[in-house]
Amino acid sequence: MQRLFALRGATSVSSNDAGEILAATTALLQALVDRNRLAPEQVVSCIFTATDDLDAEFPAVAARSLGFERVPLLCAREMPVPGSMARVIRVLIHYYAGPEHEPSHVYLGEAAALRVDLQAAQ
């Protein structure tokens, strides 16, 4: 029997450039897919957020290029909390896997500092 899981990830981007946003998002999604042995057919939905300083491209575009054509994707703004990290893309993925599955969250680049409590995510 399959169970619904939620998976988190984040990455940093060096500048507000479409190519950089797509490259960073692709690397994040590929790491999440690889570490969790995910296939697009297992994914229910993906919610992406980006900080206010990233608006050159939708992070979801990267997901489409990785085979997520039939997955509902949503892009939103991250809350602009004073002092929070700049140029960050986050993702929340809902997916089905067997009950023995252990989600492996991924935090890349400067975003690794967001979840130092998740050493396995680094």
Side-chain angles (χ1 to χ4, degrees), residues 5-111:
F5 288 89
L7 188 59
R8 290 284 315 268
T11 190
S12 57
V13 179
S14 59
S15 67
N16 185 29
D17 173 79
E20 295 230 4
I21 290 169
L22 292 176
T25 306
T26 298
L28 173 62
L29 291 174
Q30 194 62 61
L32 286 162
V33 165
D34 291 348
R35 287 190 193 180
N36 291 280
R37 295 188 174 105
L38 288 180
E41 304 81 48
Q42 294 172 263
V43 179
V44 175
S45 64
C46 299
I47 301 169
F48 295 90
T49 65
T51 50
D52 278 346
D53 48 10
L54 297 177
D55 62 4
E57 183 59 275
F58 293 105
V61 171
R64 297 280 181 230
S65 69
L66 290 175
F68 287 62
E69 295 95 359
R70 295 178 164 230
V71 176
L73 306 173
L74 177 68
C75 293
R77 283 278 180 225
E78 188 69 29
M79 289 176 47
V81 175
S84 61
M85 188 177 291
R87 297 179 314 280
V88 175
I89 296 167
R90 292 172 173 86
V91 66
L92 175 63
I93 300 175
H94 297 97
Y95 63 100
Y96 282 103
E100 72 289 342
H101 176 73
E102 287 290 327
S104 179
H105 309 283
V106 175
Y107 290 80
L108 301 176
E110 293 177 21

